[in-house]
Amino acid sequence: MISKIKEYGPITLAWFGSIQFLQPLIPNDPSKYIICQILILLVSFIIAYIYKKNRYKFLSNTQKLNLKIYYDDIFKTKYNDYIRVIATDDDLTVDKTKISPKSVYSHFLNRINVLDLENVRRETNRIVTMQNNSSVYYLVKIAAFDENDTMVLEDLRDYFSILYDLCEYIENNAKGKKIVCPVLGGRISFKNSTPTSSDRLNLIKLAFETYNFKREVDIHIVVNKDNTRPKKYTIV
């Protein structure tokens, strides 16, 4: 019970305070007043529970990694000061017939001048930095498209290796800037396994949490909520 109070108490009180604008609507009768305040407190607790249920926080033992996972959109303006991580194919394809219009990469292409990709396309590194106006992106080259316009990896070890490369790149290049990262690679298929979307999210979480960061990093994994598939991701 005490642990639950510690977990939900601060958020509950914050919501309780914000809902106090309803005070003028509360009857002056003492008993009704108390009942209304209890109801407001109960509503605040429910809101806090839902809020916490859909968020995950992790602080490493070394205090170097601050990791958060929650539902949101990577392209919201509040992330303009963050470094956005974008998964792409090896060739940084811009042909929209090969790219899902719902993918993060497709939304990324809609927000930039694709001619700017020429400068980074020449780089042979798996992960490259691209600046577009004031926005900074880390482009992670997963694999080349096959004949079915799918990025194919041998198995989950290849995917995990890419994630570890990303951890190393973040540590060496972020220089204190916050990172916002989606679940990477919706168009990835594996020869020897068929991971679900939640499996890929858990692998990303595991990679970040097990990497031995020596510098302080602040990483936000944002999951795009799919109302047609509410159980697509499990945030725990």
Side-chain angles (χ1 to χ4, degrees):
M1 182 66 181
I2 294 176
S3 63
K4 290 295 182 184
I5 293 174
K6 288 182 178 179
E7 182 178 2
Y8 297 109
I11 299 176
T12 299
L13 291 176
W15 278 103
F16 182 74
S18 66
I19 298 176
Q20 289 303 308
F21 71 89
L22 295 174
Q23 282 279 5
L25 303 178
I26 297 176
N28 291 324
D29 179 82
S31 59
K32 291 182 179 178
Y33 180 85
I34 292 173
I35 291 172
C36 287
Q37 289 289 5
I38 291 173
L39 288 174
I40 291 173
L41 185 62
L42 180 61
V43 169
S44 300
F45 178 82
I46 292 171
I47 294 173
Y49 175 79
I50 294 171
Y51 176 84
K52 290 283 289 185
K53 185 179 179 181
N54 290 296
R55 292 179 73 91
Y56 171 86
K57 291 184 179 181
F58 173 83
L59 182 64
S60 65
N61 292 332
T62 62
Q63 308 289 305
K64 298 298 183 184
L65 170 64
N66 185 14
L67 175 67
K68 299 181 181 72
I69 305 174
Y70 50 89
Y71 290 108
D72 211 348
D73 180 357
I74 189 175
F75 294 108
K76 282 185 177 178
T77 55
K78 66 181 181 181
Y79 298 118
N80 283 353
D81 292 332
Y82 291 48
I83 298 171
R84 294 180 172 97
V85 178
I86 309 291
T88 178
D89 67 292
D90 284 353
D91 300 317
L92 284 84
T93 298
V94 296
D95 183 353
K96 293 296 185 69
T97 63
K98 297 177 178 289
I99 304 165
S100 169
K102 294 183 179 180
S103 69
V104 173
Y105 184 60
S106 178
H107 289 290
F108 161 71
L109 293 178
N110 291 336
R111 285 166 168 77
I112 66 164
N113 182 348
V114 294
L115 295 177
D116 293 340
L117 287 175
E118 289 300 325
N119 295 326
V120 295
R121 189 176 280 118
R122 302 187 190 98
E123 297 189 31
T124 57
N125 296 330
R126 178 183 291 281
I127 304 171
V128 295
T129 299
M130 174 184 171
Q131 181 136 5
N132 184 259
N133 297 322
S134 60
S135 298
V136 179
Y137 301 92
Y138 288 165
L139 306 183
V140 183
K141 301 175 186 177
I142 303 294
F145 277 139
D146 67 1
E147 64 275 8
N148 297 316
D149 300 329
T150 301
M151 295 178 284
V152 181
L153 295 176
E154 192 70 27
D155 55 34
L156 290 175
R157 288 174 296 182
D158 291 341
Y159 185 66
F160 203 77
S161 175
I162 293 170
L163 295 175
Y164 251 52
D165 288 345
L166 175 60
C167 291
E168 183 178 22
Y169 194 87
I170 289 172
E171 175 156 58
N172 293 333
N173 295 278
K175 297 178 181 178
K177 291 197 72 171
K178 294 181 179 181
I179 305 293
V180 59
C181 177
V183 180
L184 298 179
R187 294 295 296 274
I188 298 174
S189 68
F190 300 86
K191 292 181 180 179
N192 300 322
S193 58
T194 54
T196 64
S197 298
S198 275
D199 290 336
R200 286 189 291 113
L201 173 59
N202 287 329
L203 279 172
I204 295 174
K205 181 172 74 171
L206 180 64
F208 285 140
E209 291 180 355
T210 57
Y211 186 85
N212 184 24
F213 287 101
K214 295 178 176 61
R215 298 182 178 92
E216 291 185 3
V217 295
D218 192 339
I219 301 174
H220 297 237
I221 300 175
V222 296
V223 180
N224 191 22
K225 195 157 193 173
D226 187 345
N227 292 324
T228 64
R229 297 169 60 193
K231 295 184 179 180
K232 181 177 180 180
Y233 294 104
T234 302
I235 299 177
V236 292

